[in-house]
Amino acid sequence: MNPLLVASFVVPLLGSDTLGVQKPAVDSAEAKVPFGHADFTWMNGQSRQRSTPLQLGKYVTGSLYLDTYFSQSNNRPRDNTIVGSASIGRSGEFQINLASVGVSWNYQNVIGRIELQSGSMLNIVQDLDGSVGRGRNLTTAGLRNIRQATAGYHFDKGYGIDVEAGIFASYVGLESYLLGENWNYHRSLVCDFTPFYFQGVRASFYPTQKLKLEPWIMNGFQTYGRWNVAPSVGFSTYYRPTGSLGLIGNFYYGADQRGNPGRKRFHHDNSVLLRYLDRPTAHGISKMAFSLNSHYGFEQGGNGPSAGQAYMAGTSFVNSIWFNQDRLALAVRAELVANPSRYLAPAPTPGGFTDGGTDFMARGLTATFDVMPTDFFSVRAEVMTRASSVPFFAGPGGTTSVDGYLGTPGDFTPDVRRAQTLFTLALNFRL
């Protein structure tokens, strides 16, 4: 998800990964800049960089990103595997979660970006894409290391129209795929349950400086391929009337169940971001803001339960307080999600859920303390506790095998618990 830095950059509404491409400006000195009326680097899901050191000439911008962490589960799973989170996957180990390098460009209105990635988070997100099993000539291995790859054209109408095709970061949900852009290190449950990438086409319309309208056509809900015949469609609306307020509404509709083309999925999320105190030069409390991200979706038709059972509803509320000229921050989050048919809840074991039921509800509390000596580096300490109505988190016995290693023979029952507390220390670098 990059912020508006100078008038020579066109900026997406809510960060470089969730909402678009950071693009060097066209040649015109009078170019109109969307969302150029204020600084939005304070927002949840948004890069906080105020400058771009990797400006590689007039038309090309480079990017570097590194996310590394150490996390400990209070359940201390024998196989060091964390389940119930799409943000991190290992306990009691030092891990490179995500490393990325990329470039974006804008030359004579031809726009695009290529960003490559590696790290342990790919095993949680990209490797679980089952759509590549439909037919041949498509594999996760061939695409997993591409974080974004897009190409398109910019039209000088209004405040700009961008039409692009490729692999994009998802527009659904408030929080970024890049954990360093979020107020909390772990994403909220509602964002973990929704897509992180799409392959398809989008058009970004900026009718005014404060408004962005964005229709999408995609292969599916976090898929490289399609589950069925018809593509998926979506629409996003982003509005920033002032530098202290952001409003977002996202919609998705598609057929995303294998071999069940009559079953349709709908998903909607909306967000409010409000900065209610701003004293950037203060050495005490320098800024205060909150974000509220709420989701509702369902599946209906074809073979499966009705929308009364096959739904997802949840919300995440975060309040953040910055100190010492925005170099320290404390963010506290409360969250709740329900997904009774579990069509979005990630399976806690390779064999799925262990309780055999048709219910799921989870809640959590998270506190994150950030030390940010510059806009390009942060040290993050976090404690997060979550509980669910069914076994969902790895217990001491782990979820792999009798000794915790893949392939070890012997009778084994995965140890899955209803609660988990994670203590995490992370370092985030971005340039």
Side-chain angles (χ1 to χ4, degrees):
M1 274 102 281
N2 294 322
L4 177 66
L5 306 172
V6 292
S8 64
F9 285 87
V10 176
V11 183
L13 178 66
L14 277 180
S16 58
D17 275 70
T18 51
L19 295 172
V21 177
Q22 181 186 40
K23 297 180 283 289
V26 295
D27 291 337
S28 172
E30 302 298 326
K32 297 180 178 180
V33 181
F35 309 114
H37 56 294
D39 176 10
F40 299 105
T41 57
W42 61 271
M43 286 189 165
N44 196 1
Q46 168 79 56
S47 171
R48 57 188 180 86
Q49 287 180 251
R50 294 180 175 89
S51 61
T52 54
L54 295 183
Q55 185 65 42
L56 309 176
K58 186 176 182 180
Y59 304 107
V60 179
T61 303
S63 65
L64 298 173
Y65 178 82
L66 179 64
D67 169 19
T68 181
Y69 73 89
F70 178 90
S71 188
Q72 181 65 61
S73 167
N74 70 314
N75 293 335
R76 296 185 176 272
R78 174 168 47 194
D79 56 2
N80 298 96
T81 302
I82 292 174
V83 297
S85 171
S87 299
I88 66 172
R90 303 289 291 180
S91 172
E93 297 175 345
F94 296 95
Q95 286 290 325
I96 297 294
N97 205 26
L98 189 69
S100 178
V101 58
V103 294
S104 60
W105 63 86
N106 183 336
Y107 179 69
Q108 295 185 353
N109 285 28
V110 177
I111 60 176
R113 70 164 41 179
I114 296 175
E115 292 178 337
L116 305 180
Q117 65 178 355
S118 187
S120 60
M121 192 164 67
L122 275 61
N123 298 293
I124 310 171
V125 179
Q126 282 81 1
D127 285 1
L128 299 182
D129 186 349
S131 70
V132 298
R134 185 171 188 253
R136 296 174 292 169
N137 305 326
L138 182 65
T139 65
T140 302
L143 296 173
R144 73 193 298 270
N145 296 113
I146 299 175
R147 183 158 69 86
Q148 293 194 87
T150 70
Y153 194 82
H154 172 82
F155 297 89
D156 296 321
K157 301 294 183 181
Y159 274 79
I161 301 174
D162 297 340
V163 180
E164 303 165 272
I167 296 175
F168 302 91
S170 167
Y171 67 92
V172 178
L174 171 66
E175 294 171 340
S176 173
Y177 176 76
L178 300 183
L179 303 182
E181 294 186 338
N182 302 325
W183 289 352
N184 301 103
Y185 182 67
H186 282 81
R187 298 184 205 91
S188 63
L189 286 163
V190 289
C191 288
D192 265 357
F193 283 22
T194 51
F196 301 117
Y197 62 86
F198 288 119
Q199 185 158 227
V201 179
R202 72 180 179 193
S204 304
F205 299 88
Y206 300 90
T208 74
Q209 189 177 46
K210 301 177 180 181
L211 178 65
K212 178 181 179 180
L213 306 174
E214 196 170 77
W216 290 66
I217 301 176
M218 304 148 285
N219 287 338
F221 202 81
Q222 190 166 297
T223 64
Y224 292 123
R226 292 189 305 183
W227 291 109
N228 297 289
V229 176
S232 302
V233 294
F235 192 82
S236 295
T237 303
Y238 310 112
Y239 181 50
R240 288 178 172 175
T242 72
S244 295
L245 178 64
L247 304 172
I248 307 109
N250 299 317
F251 302 87
Y252 173 92
Y253 181 78
D256 291 283
Q257 193 173 106
R258 175 178 174 175
N260 196 3
R263 191 156 183 80
K264 308 301 182 183
R265 177 177 298 176
F266 170 81
H267 197 91
H268 163 66
D269 79 275
N270 59 80
S271 298
V272 177
L273 299 102
L274 177 66
R275 182 179 61 188
Y276 55 92
L277 177 69
D278 186 29
R279 302 185 302 180
T281 62
H283 290 280
I285 295 178
S286 53
K287 189 183 278 89
M288 300 178 73
F290 74 79
S291 70
L292 176 66
N293 180 221
S294 299
H295 291 239
Y296 176 72
F298 61 85
E299 289 189 333
Q300 191 165 9
N303 300 318
S306 68
Q309 177 69 14
Y311 71 87
M312 182 272 209
T315 191
S316 170
F317 177 82
V318 191
N319 191 78
S320 188
I321 305 174
W322 289 260
F323 308 89
N324 191 27
Q325 299 178 331
D326 298 344
R327 294 310 177 193
L328 305 173
L330 174 65
V332 178
R333 178 180 67 206
E335 56 184 336
L336 178 69
V337 64
N339 187 205
S341 70
R342 308 175 184 180
Y343 70 92
L344 289 180
T349 76
F353 283 82
T354 61
D355 67 319
T358 56
D359 181 32
F360 182 85
M361 181 176 290
R363 62 188 184 278
L365 291 172
T366 305
T368 309
F369 185 74
D370 286 322
V371 179
M372 302 169 287
T374 76
D375 293 346
F376 312 103
F377 179 77
S378 63
V379 180
R380 322 193 74 182
E382 181 172 280
V383 57
M384 180 180 71
T385 182
R386 284 174 171 170
S388 65
S389 60
V390 299
F392 188 60
F393 307 101
T399 57
T400 304
S401 70
V402 292
D403 65 356
Y405 287 87
L406 287 169
T408 301
D411 293 334
F412 174 69
T413 300
D415 183 5
V416 191
R417 304 298 175 91
R418 294 175 184 262
Q420 175 178 262
T421 299
L422 293 176
F423 304 91
T424 305
L425 181 66
L427 302 180
N428 292 130
F429 166 78
R430 183 172 188 170
L431 197 61

